[in-house]
């Protein structure tokens, strides 16, 4: 506590000891004393250090003042001695001999000459510095050579033995002057060579700097050319080594091009001499041979050159100049060797060698600079800046003339130096970006596949919380197709005609539903298309615009005049290579995605689980629709169409007509690659659909075979259906007509109906109207083949095993009806496009023959016509429910042969292309018409929400169970469907 109270002491308390003794005790006062003494010692130490630091400066100042005092006293004494000497001269004899006066005048004249030379020698350094500050290095060189001439006249060089000359002995100030003059030579050479590196230096300044170097080093014009080119090469290296990125790269490249062009122009202006007999200086705005003309003006001894002496301007500025001897007033620098003009071949070879050397450096340096350019827009900006630079009038007007006279060939700066570098960097950027798109797309695909599989597992296990809609839509597309949303149609869809609809209308939610494209597929394709659009937009900066691109290319390609052909390079000559780089990158990107899809399919192909089927269907739809949902992929491969091409296409209907006329036209390589890519996508899609179809047919036909091979009578009766009683009239032996009743099947067995209905439901579940026709045909073929296999096994089972329910005539008749109905339904699409039925499976005939063997031959002849009629009527009645499984041709082939039909049927085909329900049956009577219409609308509404898993339980094959499931479905009470509005009838075009 005492130490804390001793710290905040006031000065008044320290000055008054009584106060201290009143407030503190003895120990505290001792502490205060020690603290104060310590501070005193600290201040003394600081004072000693400050005095020690300043003492040396004070001593130096005192010594300097003493020297100044002594110097001033000696000057005063000297002046006094001179005054006394003059007084003595005045007091001397006034009469002297004439000879002595004459000798005195001569000595005085010599003295004035020497004094004027000394004065000029003292003024020359200042004039040299002034000339160098004004960058007049030739004048500085002339003054320096004049100074050296004065040194030789005054004999200021050190004599042998280390003694000074008499002049130096009498004028000691010249000793420092001689030492100072010796540094001017190196300084002028250094500054002259640094001037040669500048880009914005006039031809006159370059020529004067080279002449200065030649005068100082006594070199030849060829050496001057070498110095000039070496300086420019050093300047190029300096530009390339500047640590600038971004916008500075454009400035560096433009500076390199400007330096290269300027070097050739200045080489022409300084070193080139026209042939004998031609004009020496000036052809239009170009001048040449400046080095030799300046050198001649500086070193010539003719009368004209004497008018341009070194001291011409100074002769009238002072009276002492008249005492200078003529060797000084008429001084002209000289070269020891004669300055021979450079031969044109030597000039050409030297410049060509320099260009080749600089080309290597520029290519290496610019290539390293372009690494920092990350977009094609940046490359295009640099290229356009170089084009603007080379298109200026000062360069474009005389560039071809200069190159032809110096190099005897044209020199294209862009084509020879930069174009390949820019193209390589463009290809590298395109490859990097497309690889990045490929990597991100594969990651997105993998995550989408994993999410779909996880969501499918959650849905099947009943733990779904509502976040598995994506997986549900992939397995059950019908739940997505019949789900209305506000974005199904655009707000202006009602009054925009078909011909005026753009891509926005084609990408509407309703358009996506008509193609059975789920949100997962749309999201993936939208992401890929957006990335490709960014690449395509970036590429457009490097390609000619739609408005001016064609004109610029045509003008540059025609180029009738010489000035136009060399005014600037054609920026778009490498457009095909640029488009090819993007095309190859996009093709590699899509093929990488396809390889990832194939690997996923290979992992799922042996035995796909229900969780894997959602991802398989997702990849199938993705490959099927990638070419349509990614229009920018097509633009990247085929090139973005110009405005004229878009106008030439016209309406979609006109384009279809024109497409037939152009079918015979030759296919371009780009179109061939696009077609090949579409085929690869379609092949991959077909592989994925094949996995799904094989898994579906395997599950359905296994259950079909289980019921078909039932051994007990109860199981067989469970699948039996109602037969129809028919009255037939037969002729007896007596010739009278006999009426008898027969019973024939009019419906297939329940397990056959269940198989077809389940197959139709599953096809509709995955968007059957958008399934590829080969896929559907393969599915039906696989189902029919496996069904025939089970029927064939039934024949083998009956022959080889005992104790099974015997094959009766009625059962054989029902199985025969079932088999023929299956073959009629599943084989209808297989026979589309075939001219005959020669490709029918031989097992079908074997099984039919085997079943007919259990029927009485007489009864078989009687049963065959009505059985065929029942079969045809059944096919027509089930054509709506099984529309996707039946074709559009066979259903009407035998309609005219149904003689015993109760009422004629009329079938109205809705469209030639495949839709959800292929055919709509209409009755000729009004009552029948209304009933069939209500029945078809009910069936369509009940198919809106099929069960999530219809192939898991064997109970679904019980009689009437499938239709009971449809009846038990809850009807959604939603707003009136958009499909019920009559004004939407034109929307499906």
């Amino acid at each position: 506590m005492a130490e804390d109270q001793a710290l905040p002491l006031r000065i008044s308390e320290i000055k008054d000891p009584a106060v201290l003794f009143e407030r503190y005790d003895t120990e505290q006062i001792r502490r205060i004393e020690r603290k104060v003494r310590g501070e005193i010692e600290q201040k003394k130490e600081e004072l000693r250090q400050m005095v020690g630091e300043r003492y040396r400066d004070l001593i130096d100042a005192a010594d300097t003042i003493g020297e100044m005092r002594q110097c001033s006293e000696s000057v005063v004494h000297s002046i006094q001695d001179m005054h006394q000497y003059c007084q003595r001269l005045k007091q001397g004899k006034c009469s002297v001999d004439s000879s002595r006066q004459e000798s005195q005048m001569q000595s005085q004249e010599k003295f004035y000459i020497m004094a004027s030379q000394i004065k000029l020698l003292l003024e020359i350094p200042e004039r040299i510095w002034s000339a160098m500050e004004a960058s007049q290095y030739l004048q500085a060189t002339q003054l320096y050579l004049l100074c050296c001439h004065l040194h030789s006249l005054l004999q200021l060089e050190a004599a042998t033995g280390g003694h000074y000359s008499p002049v130096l002995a009498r004028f000691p100030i010249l000793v420092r002057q001689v030492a100072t003059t010796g540094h001017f030579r190196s300084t002028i050479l250094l500054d002259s060579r640094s001037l040669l590196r500048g880009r914005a230096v006039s031809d006159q300044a370059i020529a004067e700097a080279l002449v200065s170097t030649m005068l100082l080093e006594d070199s030849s014009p060829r050496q001057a050319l070498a110095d000039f080119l070496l300086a420019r090469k050093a300047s190029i290296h300096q530009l390339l080594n500047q640590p600038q990125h971004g916008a500075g790269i454009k400035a560096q490249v433009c500076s390199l091009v400007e330096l290269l062009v300027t070097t050739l122009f200045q080489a022409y202006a300084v070193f080139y001499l026209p042939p004998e007999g031609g004009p020496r200086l000036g052809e239009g705005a170009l001048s040449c041979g400046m080095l030799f003309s300046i050198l001649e003006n500086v070193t010539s001894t003719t009368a004209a050159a004497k008018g341009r002496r070194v001291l011409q301007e100074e002769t009238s500025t002072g009276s002492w100049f008249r005492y200078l001897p003529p060797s000084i007033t008429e001084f002209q620098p000289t070269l020891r060797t004669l300055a021979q003009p450079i031969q044109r071949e030597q000039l050409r070879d030297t410049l060509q060698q320099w260009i080749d050397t600089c080309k290597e450096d520029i290519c290496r340096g610019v290539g390293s600079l372009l690494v920092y350019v990350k977009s094609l827009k940046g490359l295009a900006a640099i290229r356009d800046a170089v084009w603007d630079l080379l298109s200026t009038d000062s360069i474009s007007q005389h560039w071809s003339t200069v190159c032809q006279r110096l190099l005897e060939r044209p020199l294209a700066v862009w084509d020879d130096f930069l174009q390949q570098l820019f193209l390589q960097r463009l290809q590298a950027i395109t490859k990097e970006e497309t690889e990045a798109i490929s990597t991100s797309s594969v990651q997105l695909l993998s995550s989408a596949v994993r999410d779909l599989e996880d969501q499918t597992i959650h849905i099947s296990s009943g733990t779904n919380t509502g976040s598995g809609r994506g997986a549900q839509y992939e397995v059950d597309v019908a739940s997505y197709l019949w789900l209305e949303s506000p974005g199904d149609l655009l707000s202006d869809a009602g009054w925009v005609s078909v011909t005026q609809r753009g891509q926005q209308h084609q990408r509407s939610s309703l358009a996506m539903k008509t193609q059975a494209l789920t949100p997962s597929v749309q999201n993936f394709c939208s992401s890929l298309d957006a990335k490709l659009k960014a690449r395509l937009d970036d590429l457009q900066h490097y390609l000619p615009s739609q408005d001016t691109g064609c004109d610029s290319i045509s003008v540059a390609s025609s180029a009738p005049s010489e000035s136009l052909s060399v005014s600037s390079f054609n920026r778009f000559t490498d457009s095909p290579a640029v488009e090819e780089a993007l095309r190859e990158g996009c093709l590699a990107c899509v093929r990488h995605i396809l390889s990832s899809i194939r690997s996923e399919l290979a992992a799922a192909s042996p035995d796909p689980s229900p969780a894997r089927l959602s991802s398989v269907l997702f990849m199938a739809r993705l490959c099927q629709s990638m070419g349509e949902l990614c229009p920018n992929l097509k633009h990247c491969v085929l090139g973005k169409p110009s405005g004229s091409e878009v106008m030439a296409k016209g309406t979609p209907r006109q384009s279809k007509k024109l497409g037939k006329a152009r079918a015979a036209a030759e296919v371009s390589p780009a179109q061939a690659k696009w077609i090949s890519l579409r085929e690869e996508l379609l092949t991959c899609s077909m592989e994925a659909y094949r996995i799904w179809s094989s898994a579906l047919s395997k599950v359905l036909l296994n259950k079909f075979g289980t019921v078909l091979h039932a051994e007990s009578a109860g199981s067989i009766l469970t699948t039996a259906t109602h037969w129809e009683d028919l009255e037939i009239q037969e002729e007896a032996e007596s010739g009278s007509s006999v009426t008898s009743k027969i019973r024939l099947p009019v419906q297939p067995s329940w397990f056959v109906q269940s198989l077809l209905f389940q197959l139709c439901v599953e096809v509709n579940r995955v968007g059957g109207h958008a399934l590829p026709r080969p896929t559907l045909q393969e599915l039906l073929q696989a189902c029919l083949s496996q069904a025939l296999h089970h029927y064939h096994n039934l024949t083998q089972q009956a022959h080889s095993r005992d104790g099974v329910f015997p094959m009766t005539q009625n059962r054989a008749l029902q199985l025969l009806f079932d088999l023929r109905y299956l073959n009629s339904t599943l084989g209808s699409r297989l026979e589309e496009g075939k001219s005959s039925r020669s490709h029918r499976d031989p097992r079908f005939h074997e099984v039919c023959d085997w079943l007919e063997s259990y029927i009485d031959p007489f009864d078989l002849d009687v049963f065959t016509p009505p059985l065929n009629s029942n079969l045809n009527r059944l096919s027509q009645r089930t054509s709506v429910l099984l529309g996707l499984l039946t074709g559009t041709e066979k259903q009407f082939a035998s309609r005219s042969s149904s003689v015993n039909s109760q009422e004629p049927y009329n079938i109205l085909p809705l469209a030639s292309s495949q839709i959800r329900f292929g055919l709509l049956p209409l009755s000729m009577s009004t009552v029948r018409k209304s009933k069939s219409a209500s029945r078809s609308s009910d069936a369509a509404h009940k198919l809106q929400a099929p069960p999530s898993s219809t192939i898991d339980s064997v109970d679904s094959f019980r009689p009437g169970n499938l239709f009971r499931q449809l009846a038990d479905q809850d009807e959604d009470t939603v707003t009136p469907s958009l499909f019920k509005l009559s004004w939407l009838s034109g929307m499906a075009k």
Side-chain angles (χ1 to χ4, degrees):
M1 293 296 294
E3 187 176 359
D4 296 338
Q5 295 177 359
L7 292 177
L9 291 176
R10 291 194 295 270
I11 299 177
S12 60
E13 296 177 356
I14 299 176
K15 290 182 179 180
D16 191 359
V19 178
L20 292 175
F21 282 99
E22 290 176 359
R23 292 183 60 182
Y24 307 106
D25 55 11
T26 305
E27 185 65 26
Q28 292 175 344
I29 291 175
R30 288 196 180 112
R31 292 178 181 175
I32 294 172
E33 180 185 7
R34 287 195 298 269
K35 178 181 179 182
V36 172
R37 289 185 183 278
E39 292 178 354
I40 291 173
E41 293 298 328
Q42 182 179 0
K43 295 297 181 181
K44 286 182 179 180
E45 183 65 25
E46 292 177 357
L47 182 61
R48 290 189 193 98
Q49 292 178 0
M50 181 181 68
V51 172
E53 290 174 357
R54 298 296 182 183
Y55 183 69
R56 185 181 300 276
D57 297 337
L58 293 175
I59 293 175
D60 293 340
D63 294 341
T64 305
I65 292 172
E67 292 177 358
M68 292 173 62
R69 182 184 296 110
Q70 294 176 2
C71 182
S72 60
E73 289 178 355
S74 63
V75 170
V76 170
H77 287 306
S78 299
I79 293 174
Q80 290 177 357
D81 293 341
M82 292 173 64
H83 181 68
Q84 294 175 1
Y85 178 73
C86 292
Q87 290 293 332
R88 287 196 299 269
L89 289 177
K90 290 181 180 179
Q91 293 175 2
K93 295 182 180 180
C94 297
S95 58
V96 290
D97 296 337
S98 58
S99 60
R100 187 174 181 181
Q101 291 179 355
E102 185 176 357
S103 61
Q104 187 176 0
M105 289 296 293
Q106 292 178 357
S107 62
Q108 188 176 6
E109 184 74 18
K110 292 180 180 179
F111 178 77
Y112 286 160
I113 291 174
M114 183 176 293
S116 63
Q117 293 178 4
I118 294 173
K119 181 174 177 59
L120 179 61
L121 187 62
L122 294 176
E123 289 184 357
I124 281 179
E126 183 179 355
R127 297 187 181 186
I128 292 176
W129 286 120
S130 299
M132 292 182 65
E133 289 177 358
S135 298
Q136 298 176 358
Y137 299 110
L138 180 58
Q139 183 180 359
T141 302
Q142 291 175 319
L143 291 173
Y144 169 75
L145 294 177
L146 177 60
C147 183
C148 295
H149 181 63
L150 286 173
H151 286 177
S152 62
L153 291 178
L154 295 176
Q155 299 179 356
L156 298 182
E157 291 82 0
T160 57
H163 299 286
Y164 288 111
S165 64
V167 179
L168 292 177
R170 297 186 60 182
F171 300 97
I173 193 173
L174 296 179
V175 177
R176 186 180 296 273
Q177 189 68 19
V178 172
T180 303
T181 307
H183 299 290
F184 281 124
R185 182 179 184 275
S186 59
T187 304
I188 295 174
L189 285 174
L190 184 62
D191 292 349
S192 299
R193 287 170 177 166
S194 64
L195 179 71
L196 298 178
R197 299 182 180 181
R199 300 191 308 274
V201 182
S202 62
D203 301 343
Q204 182 73 22
I206 293 291
E208 290 182 356
L210 291 173
V211 171
S212 301
T213 305
M214 293 177 63
L215 292 175
L216 292 176
E217 294 184 339
D218 198 15
S219 59
S220 62
R222 292 184 61 182
Q223 183 63 35
L225 175 61
D227 294 341
F228 172 68
L229 296 179
L230 285 175
R232 289 307 173 93
K233 185 177 180 181
S235 181
I236 289 175
H237 287 171
Q238 182 180 2
L239 281 174
L240 291 175
N241 294 328
Q242 290 180 358
Q244 296 180 0
H245 309 307
I249 296 178
K250 179 170 69 175
Q252 284 181 261
V253 175
C254 291
S255 299
L256 284 172
V257 174
E258 182 183 4
L259 182 62
L260 182 64
V261 173
T262 305
T263 300
L264 290 181
F265 271 107
Q266 290 180 346
Y268 177 83
V270 175
F271 298 100
Y272 180 78
L273 284 177
E276 295 295 334
R280 186 176 181 82
L281 276 180
E283 299 173 6
L286 288 178
S287 58
C288 58
M290 297 180 64
L291 176 72
F292 303 100
S293 60
I294 294 175
L295 193 61
E296 183 179 0
N297 293 334
V298 171
T299 61
S300 178
T301 57
T302 60
K306 289 183 178 179
R308 297 183 292 272
R309 297 186 301 270
V310 179
L311 301 176
Q312 181 180 2
E313 298 178 357
E314 290 80 358
T315 53
S316 59
T317 58
S319 58
W320 57 274
F321 272 95
R322 67 177 182 269
Y323 296 103
L324 291 174
S327 62
I328 295 177
T329 56
E330 298 179 0
F331 174 77
Q332 291 288 98
T334 57
L335 283 174
R336 297 180 182 178
T337 59
L338 183 62
Q340 295 289 343
I342 304 176
Q343 299 294 329
R344 297 182 62 182
E345 292 78 8
Q346 297 176 352
L347 180 62
R348 178 197 62 198
D349 296 340
T350 305
L351 290 176
Q352 186 61 51
Q353 184 180 3
W354 179 81
I355 289 174
D356 295 339
T357 305
C358 292
K359 183 177 180 180
E360 298 177 0
D361 299 336
I362 290 175
C363 292
R364 189 183 308 110
V366 174
S368 61
L369 287 177
L370 293 180
V371 174
Y372 298 99
V373 181
K374 300 299 183 180
S375 65
L376 305 187
K377 183 179 180 181
L379 284 179
I382 299 175
R383 179 201 62 185
D384 295 341
V386 174
W387 186 84
D388 293 336
L389 175 64
L390 297 179
S391 300
T392 55
D393 295 338
S394 59
I395 296 177
S396 60
Q397 289 181 357
H398 306 287
W399 177 249
S400 61
T401 304
V402 171
C403 292
Q404 190 63 35
R405 293 183 178 179
L406 288 178
L407 305 175
E408 297 180 358
R409 68 175 183 89
L411 178 64
V413 178
W414 172 258
D415 297 338
D416 296 344
F417 286 81
L418 302 176
Q419 181 182 14
Q420 193 63 27
L421 297 176
F422 275 68
L423 184 59
Q424 291 175 358
R425 180 55 187 161
L426 182 143
Q427 293 172 347
I429 292 176
T430 304
K431 183 178 179 182
E432 293 173 1
E433 295 296 334
T434 51
E435 287 179 352
I437 293 174
S438 175
T439 303
S440 61
S441 299
V442 170
Q443 292 176 355
L444 181 61
L445 175 67
S446 301
S447 62
V449 169
R450 301 298 172 263
D451 292 343
L452 288 175
E453 293 178 359
D454 295 340
Q455 292 172 9
T456 306
I457 294 174
H458 292 320
I459 291 174
S460 60
S461 61
T463 59
N464 183 33
T465 59
S467 61
R469 283 297 184 93
Q472 180 182 357
Y473 290 158
E474 294 299 331
V475 179
D476 189 7
V477 180
S479 61
Y480 168 67
L481 298 180
W482 299 104
L483 179 66
E484 296 186 17
S485 60
D488 283 343
L489 290 177
L490 299 179
S491 58
D492 58 348
W495 51 84
V496 176
S497 63
V498 178
T499 58
Q500 295 178 353
R501 293 178 187 174
Q503 186 177 358
Q504 185 179 5
H505 290 268
Q506 299 174 4
R507 299 292 293 272
S508 64
S509 180
L510 183 59
M512 296 295 101
K513 290 179 179 179
T514 58
Q515 303 176 42
L517 299 179
T518 57
S520 300
V521 177
Q522 297 177 35
N523 294 337
F524 183 90
C525 292
S526 299
S527 175
L528 178 60
D529 189 62
K531 296 173 184 176
L532 293 177
K533 185 178 185 303
R535 286 288 88 226
L536 193 62
D537 292 342
D538 192 19
L539 183 72
Q540 295 306 313
H541 293 96
Y542 210 86
L543 297 177
S545 61
Q546 297 181 1
D547 299 331
T548 59
C550 298
D551 298 337
S552 62
I553 292 177
S554 61
V555 170
S557 61
S558 59
S561 61
E562 182 183 3
S563 60
L564 181 61
S565 61
V566 298
S567 60
S568 61
F569 58 90
N570 186 0
R571 292 176 286 178
F572 309 116
T573 53
D574 52 359
S575 295
V578 173
E579 294 179 346
E580 182 65 22
L582 181 62
R583 180 181 303 113
E584 294 299 330
C586 291
L587 291 176
C589 173
V590 176
R591 289 192 174 100
H592 186 207
I593 298 175
L594 282 177
S595 65
S596 177
I597 292 177
R598 290 192 181 98
S599 63
E600 294 285 347
L601 294 179
S605 58
D607 189 12
S609 61
R612 283 288 185 115
L613 281 181
S614 60
S615 59
V616 169
L617 290 171
F618 163 72
M619 290 182 284
R621 297 187 187 99
L622 179 63
C623 296
Q624 182 183 6
S625 60
M626 189 179 296
E628 298 296 334
L629 294 187
C630 298
N632 290 294
L633 175 61
K634 182 177 181 181
H635 295 161
C636 290
V637 177
L638 297 180
K640 198 168 185 179
S642 60
S644 59
E645 294 177 356
V646 174
M647 293 299 294
K649 288 183 179 180
T651 62
R653 296 181 180 179
Q654 293 175 354
S655 63
K656 291 180 181 179
K657 296 179 181 179
L658 293 176
K660 297 180 180 179
R662 296 174 182 172
E666 295 183 359
V667 179
S668 63
Q671 292 175 342
K673 292 181 180 179
W674 171 247
I675 294 173
S676 174
L677 181 63
R678 291 294 299 268
E679 291 178 354
E680 291 182 21
L681 290 171
L682 182 59
T683 303
C684 190
S685 175
M686 297 299 294
E687 291 177 2
Y689 276 124
R690 192 173 296 113
I691 295 173
W692 164 78
S693 62
S694 61
L696 177 62
S697 61
K698 181 179 179 181
V699 172
L700 292 179
L701 270 299
N702 285 341
K703 297 181 179 180
F704 173 83
T706 301
V707 181
L708 178 63
H709 293 287
E711 300 178 354
S712 63
S715 300
I716 296 174
L717 290 177
T718 303
T719 61
T721 57
H722 179 69
W723 285 31
E724 183 182 17
D725 294 334
L726 293 178
E727 293 183 357
I728 60 173
Q729 292 181 356
E730 298 175 331
E731 185 177 357
E733 296 179 357
S734 60
S736 60
S737 177
V738 179
T739 302
S740 61
K741 284 187 177 183
I742 61 174
R743 295 175 58 84
L744 291 176
V746 292
Q747 299 182 51
S749 301
W750 281 117
F751 64 89
V752 175
Q753 296 186 36
S754 301
L755 170 65
L756 296 177
F757 184 74
Q758 285 286 354
L759 184 60
C760 188
V761 167
E762 293 299 329
V763 171
N764 279 302
R765 184 188 300 275
V766 297
H769 62 283
L771 278 179
R773 178 173 295 183
T775 298
L776 192 56
Q777 291 178 352
E778 289 179 4
L779 175 62
L780 298 181
Q781 184 179 6
C783 291
L784 181 58
S785 176
Q786 294 183 34
L788 289 175
H789 175 71
H790 287 297
Y791 275 103
H792 191 266
N793 289 340
L794 182 64
T795 63
Q796 302 297 327
Q797 177 183 359
H799 290 301
S800 61
R801 295 183 59 185
D802 298 331
V804 298
F805 186 78
M807 181 64 64
T808 62
Q809 178 173 329
N810 289 341
R811 186 186 178 192
L813 195 61
Q814 180 66 53
L815 290 177
L816 180 62
F817 186 83
D818 295 343
L819 180 59
R820 293 184 60 186
Y821 178 66
L822 277 175
N823 184 72
S824 174
T825 304
L826 299 180
S828 59
R829 280 194 173 273
L830 301 179
E831 296 170 4
E832 290 181 6
K834 296 182 181 179
S835 59
S836 65
R837 301 187 181 182
S838 59
H839 301 284
R840 179 173 293 180
D841 197 326
R843 292 178 298 177
F844 173 75
H845 298 287
E846 294 179 5
V847 176
C848 289
D849 294 340
W850 179 74
L851 292 174
E852 289 176 355
S853 64
Y854 289 95
I855 304 174
D856 184 78
F858 176 77
D859 293 340
L860 182 62
D861 294 338
V862 175
F863 294 162
T864 297
L867 195 65
N868 292 335
S869 177
N870 292 344
L871 185 63
N872 292 332
R873 185 167 63 250
L874 178 64
S875 298
Q876 294 171 2
R877 286 177 177 177
T878 58
S879 61
V880 173
L881 187 63
L882 308 177
L884 289 175
L885 306 182
T886 58
T888 58
E889 291 85 357
K890 186 183 176 182
Q891 296 167 351
F892 318 108
S894 59
R895 185 180 61 187
S896 60
S897 63
S898 59
V899 181
N900 297 329
S901 179
Q902 297 294 329
E903 60 173 327
Y905 289 90
N906 185 17
I907 308 299
L908 175 64
L910 293 181
S912 60
S913 61
Q914 184 60 56
I915 56 176
R916 180 171 177 82
F917 299 121
L919 300 171
L920 180 63
L922 300 176
S923 175
M924 299 183 63
S925 61
T926 307
V927 178
R928 184 65 177 173
K929 185 176 182 180
S930 62
K931 289 182 179 180
S932 63
S934 62
R935 193 180 301 115
S936 63
S937 62
D938 292 340
H941 179 71
K942 293 175 182 178
L943 279 175
Q944 177 179 355
S948 60
S949 177
T950 59
I951 58 176
D952 298 335
S953 176
V954 183
D955 295 338
S956 60
F957 290 94
R958 296 181 64 83
N961 188 53
L962 294 174
F963 297 98
R964 192 180 302 110
Q965 291 177 5
L966 288 177
D968 292 340
Q969 294 293 329
D970 296 333
E971 296 183 0
D972 297 335
T973 57
V974 296
T975 56
S977 174
L978 293 174
F979 297 97
K980 298 179 181 179
L981 302 179
S982 60
W983 62 274
L984 288 177
S985 59
M987 297 298 171
K989 294 182 180 180

